[in-house]
Amino acid sequence: QIDYAKCDPTTCDPANGTCIALRSCKPRVLEQEEPFEMPMLMFQDHCRGCGDCVKECPVAAICVIGG
């Protein structure tokens, strides 16, 4: 789950507006269509629940639900 009140791609990568958590997601569950746009959860059924994206998010905007 992404808390869009906390999410800010300019905090992750001010120069490029790229979501750092997205880069850490091996199964590509997160997707960012354009730089500086909010990432979206896509293909949630592919999420392994590894928590890599949670660890990488500098603003604690992502959490893994369920399991």
Side-chain angles (χ1 to χ4, degrees):
Q1 176 175 339
I2 299 174
D3 182 344
Y4 288 107
K6 293 180 181 179
C7 182
D8 181 9
T10 61
T11 299
C12 292
D13 183 356
N16 300 306
T18 305
C19 173
I20 292 173
L22 179 138
R23 291 185 261 170
S24 69
C25 183
K26 303 269 188 297
R28 302 281 183 230
V29 175
L30 295 170
E31 187 174 289
Q32 187 178 19
E33 289 187 11
E34 296 288 332
F36 300 100
E37 286 188 2
M38 301 284 189
M40 297 180 292
L41 289 172
M42 306 295 285
F43 312 109
Q44 294 181 41
D45 54 328
H46 292 126
C47 180
R48 301 182 311 218
C50 67
D52 287 346
C53 58
V54 175
K55 292 179 230 168
E56 290 297 318
C57 182
V59 294
I62 301 176
C63 67
V64 177
I65 298 175

